[in-house]
Amino acid sequence: RCDRIRWLTSTRPAQAQRDSAAPHSTMLLSLLGAPWLAPGPSSARLASPAAMQLQGGSLRTWHSPDPWAEEGGFFLGTEGRPMDANVELWSGPDNTAFRMRVYGENGNLRPVRGTVGMRGRHPRSNAIAVRNAGPLEFPMSDVGVFGGGAEQPSIECLESASTVQGGSLRTYPVGPYVDAVQVLLRSDGLPVNATIEIVQGPNTNRQGIELYTDDGRERPIFYILETPGYGSVVEVRNTGPLEFPIAASVVPHSVGMADESFGGGGYGRGGYGGGGGGGYGGGG
């Protein structure tokens, strides 16, 4: 009994120290309604299995090995051919909680890394489905889905949200030294209907994403999108009604040397601001 008392008294200070060392961001993110939005350095597909190939017109589903996983991550890419894919989150019977369509002219130069919240009424029956909507000649050579260790937004991304009203457009010019950007979309619990497009040059849509989630608080959407070259502009459009505003954040993810082979003009080193509104968001 004395040994047990000494063991309890020796372990309690350590336990109290661990409890007090919990990051303050956990409280902040619990207020946001999505505990998986843990700020910090992003992990490059930590828990992703080996990338697989998905032929054109085929469908592949992944079931989360952790029934209580807070988020699900995915990675989509090709060997350089155009990419056209659909991603869905199945939560319970006949319930598609999240769906998106991504299309681009080069899946190797502009792959898509994303994270979506998986909380809901049926956490044990979550599954992510990926369909290659392209023809047979356009296989997706780099497809991965994982339930843990997904990409996480930075603190700057969490704190820089700006409201995008229903039916409105907000633009974010990207500097020539920015290699990739973080895009985070969420709401106060209302559905999110939005499109994300990367434009480079006049009337040149390099990549586009059409997405829907039934609850922007429980299931926010986070992307890391590549923006090589000069003159890239990220456009976020709220395609929902006026009663369904969303909060959008677009900030740099990685900064490198500008590649002059892409041509075009820049917006300044590492610039990301609003087109017409200044700061983080401008509005059209």
Side-chain angles (χ1 to χ4, degrees):
R1 181 178 301 176
C2 295
D3 293 339
R4 178 174 177 82
I5 292 175
R6 284 195 297 269
W7 180 83
L8 289 175
T9 55
S10 62
T11 55
R12 282 176 182 174
Q15 180 67 29
Q17 184 177 4
R18 287 194 297 268
D19 295 339
S20 61
H24 298 286
S25 58
T26 305
M27 181 180 299
L28 171 63
L29 298 173
S30 63
L31 297 177
L32 294 176
W36 65 269
L37 287 177
S42 297
S43 56
R45 303 166 62 191
L46 290 178
S48 174
M52 60 164 294
Q53 189 177 60
L54 192 62
Q55 297 294 336
S58 60
L59 171 70
R60 180 68 186 269
T61 60
W62 286 264
H63 189 274
S64 174
D66 182 7
W68 301 105
E70 296 286 349
E71 80 281 349
F74 52 87
F75 182 91
L76 308 175
T78 68
E79 292 182 348
R81 298 190 176 187
M83 180 172 58
D84 188 357
N86 298 321
V87 180
E88 295 182 348
L89 171 63
W90 299 342
S91 180
D94 300 327
N95 180 31
T96 303
F98 164 79
R99 62 175 176 266
M100 61 165 276
R101 179 201 173 198
V102 56
Y103 50 89
E105 61 180 15
N106 190 330
N108 184 30
L109 187 63
R110 301 176 185 274
V112 175
R113 289 175 285 174
T115 304
V116 60
M118 299 177 64
R119 300 176 64 188
R121 295 173 297 177
H122 306 282
R124 291 181 177 272
S125 57
N126 286 328
I128 294 180
V130 179
R131 180 186 297 275
N132 186 350
L136 187 63
E137 296 78 8
F138 293 163
M140 298 173 60
S141 58
D142 197 359
V143 179
V145 175
F146 43 97
E151 301 285 355
Q152 306 294 339
S154 62
I155 297 180
E156 181 184 11
C157 184
L158 292 172
E159 295 177 349
S160 63
S162 57
T163 302
V164 182
Q165 299 293 339
S168 62
L169 170 70
R170 193 171 292 270
T171 59
Y172 302 84
V174 180
Y177 293 90
V178 178
D179 296 331
V181 295
Q182 300 182 17
V183 181
L184 175 63
L185 302 181
R186 60 182 186 264
S187 70
D188 292 334
L190 299 173
V192 174
N193 289 274
T195 61
I196 303 171
E197 293 183 345
I198 298 180
V199 180
Q200 191 176 32
N203 301 323
T204 305
N205 188 354
R206 300 294 187 183
Q207 189 177 63
I209 298 176
E210 303 171 358
L211 63 95
Y212 161 80
T213 178
D214 60 353
D215 190 334
R217 181 180 177 87
E218 298 290 339
R219 278 176 285 275
I221 310 103
F222 175 68
Y223 297 102
I224 294 179
L225 304 177
E226 304 291 332
T227 57
Y230 288 91
S232 295
V233 178
V234 180
E235 297 181 349
V236 178
R237 183 185 299 273
N238 186 352
T239 58
L242 185 63
E243 296 80 7
F244 293 168
I246 64 175
S249 303
V250 179
V251 299
H253 175 69
S254 60
V255 179
M257 297 299 294
D259 190 351
E260 298 179 356
S261 62
F262 289 92
Y267 289 84
R269 182 182 179 95
Y272 50 97
Y280 285 91

